[in-house]
Amino acid sequence: GFPPQGSAVSPPPGSGVLPPGDGALGAPGSCQGNSVERKIYIPLNKTAPCVRLLNATHQIGCQSSISGDTGVIHVVEKEEDLNWVLADGPHPPYMILLDGNLFNRKVLMQLKGTSRVSGLAVSIAKPNPPQGFSPGLKCPNDGFGVYSKDYGPQYAHCNTTVWNPVGSGLSYEDFDFPIFLLEDANETQVIKQCYQDHNVPRDGSGPEYPLCAMQLFSHMHAVTSTVTCMRRNSIQNTFSINPETVCDPLLDYNVWSTLQPINSSGKVDREQEVIIVATRIDSHSFFWNIAPGAESAVSSFVTHLAAAEALHKASDVHSLQRNVMFTFFQGETFDYIGSSRMVYDMEKDKFPLRLDNIHSFVELNQVALRNGSVLWMHTDPVSWMNESVQTQVRNLLDILSNSSVGANVTLQEAGYSQPLPPSSFQRFLRARHIPGVVLTDHQAAFQNRYYQSMYDTPENIRMQYPEGLSPEETLEYVTDTAKSLAEVATVVARALYRLAGGANNTSAIQADPKTVTRMLYGFLIKMNNSWFQSIIKPDLKGILGDVPQHYVAVSSPVNTTYLVHYVLANLTGTVVNLTKEECLNPDKTPNAEKELYDYAWVQGSLDPNSTTRVPYCVRSTVRLSKALSPAFELRQWGSTEYSTWTESRWKEIRARIFLVASKELEIITLVVGIAILVFSLLATHFINAKADVLFSIPRDPGAVAY
């Protein structure tokens, strides 16, 4: 990298960054403290890196060199600006500040093939790119669903339907330079101002030194594949006193609960039939932990939660002949981690349910971008050929269609010539022919043009609020999106009631738009809100960050899992009259039935006119089960049957800008420094050699020698 020269000041604490002054990177005299580093660098605090992920055969993502990568900043706002970076500019390597609208496959593949680029800082496009942007694959989770050369080969690899046509596959490329997202518009402006002051080419010739440069640190420890990095972990753990882990499996927990309580530590009777309702609760984008997932995850799991609440309120749920299991899968984005683990546990008798107990399967996929009022019902064309399965699927479709009568939802069949979209249901079908349906807002290709991207935000699902509302008013304001999803939840809840054997009129089963709007606000806009605060345990209040993200990660449970757990408990559980000690230790509480129920001591809402909370005990059937791919349990790191995704470890992730001097000045400074050093050494040697002459004590002139 370049040794830093010139002057710059750091931003004062708490202010983000400071706008640059004339000729330097900051206003003179505003430095807090005397640190030399703080005078040279401006740190970029609101960034998100692209990190390295690995599977059985590949590494994807980005990384910097071990000491970070440095380059002269060049702002690229239109494609012609790339010529300077790729050919004309006299000061390579360049660190590009790329406009979000140019962050696409064509541009990145150009940059990937040159040594003149040392890194990329990407600004967010506002408004969202109108042509759509999805760094995911055109055929998500390809090879890990049900369709293969042995099962519906004509449907494998999206031969019939390309589900994500705007998918560029950028998230699955490997870049050997760092790429960071700039989340703060103020920081982007600081970099642009520094570029304007120092780096803009003058009269067709290159700018003069000092130049504005950027340094990005994101060195990754893992290389090649999951097989390699897990083997290195294993060797380290075996032979090293202080083992250093280089990668970790993506893992978390699935959240599940049942309509009627079941013994979580035992086994459900083989005769007991259970309907599974499922959704995924994770998403992904090109950048680490930037996964808003509004349409790809949140719209469906919020609808699922609302349907669970509506069904629990029905008067005769405990006498229904079939049970209903509400299941929220984690890690589905990465080759179905959560669902494949639950199927594995059911097959190995490590779960209360067996696959034999499953009567039918209803999955909510992307449901927020309905065309008009239409919701599509997708079924599996291969198992449809089996007559008994066909009869049960037909019954399932009829019940769903009948449940939409009177609601503002029109259910239509997607047809039998088309396979299932990417869905958790596919992992269950791999194990056996189960009657099932996947509900989506798209008949063929996704309506979502921002699938698995940073732009899959509340705006993407048309969430709009009037201006001037306080956070509390925004939390309670019922948006049109919330009303629309509540209608879908109502239809699903009524259909589940009928499927479970309910015979009463279903008009009373109604999802609450107020609950839906609160959930959308909490899971998409601000986790740290009064409702979420009131329904979680006191020791978990630290998980309530500001902007929610739904990446599965490697440390578990993640915030999304905790919150889905406590929202589900709040909506479907019962407040019981237990003290804190009884609630926290149900083993010692008579009639607690700990095998059937989970107990949580939650902090409650604030007392009016007071700062204290009123905590209480919630009893529910909500449980967590592992969402770690069976490949890691079986130590089959090269598995093609199960997900093998791992995330590399790193030491530091940071970004900063500073002024850099010309090579000539650096060399002159170095030569002068060496000359001064040599002169100092010679002078010291001479003085030391002549010390007895130079420092001898003069005789007293009054003394007489005899």
Side-chain angles (χ1 to χ4, degrees), residues 66-137:
I66 197 161
S67 54
D69 287 330
T70 307
V72 172
I73 295 169
H74 190 73
V75 175
V76 174
E77 293 180 325
K78 50 190 186 297
E79 280 202 45
E80 300 82 77
D81 296 340
L82 286 171
N83 295 336
W84 184 264
V85 172
L86 298 173
D88 305 339
H91 307 119
Y94 284 96
M95 194 63 78
I96 297 174
L97 173 56
L98 188 68
D99 183 272
N101 288 301
L102 291 176
F103 185 60
N104 57 45
R105 186 175 185 88
K106 181 187 169 190
V107 170
L108 261 73
M109 289 302 114
Q110 278 181 275
L111 302 179
K112 189 178 179 180
T114 176
S115 58
R116 290 175 58 91
V117 173
S118 59
L120 220 61
V122 182
S123 62
I124 297 175
K126 288 190 176 168
N128 292 353
Q131 71 279 13
F133 173 74
S134 171
L137 298 169

Side-chain angles (χ1 to χ4, degrees), residues 544-555:
L544 296 176
D546 263 352
V547 182
Q549 304 298 349
H550 307 292
Y551 172 60
V552 56
V554 295
S555 53

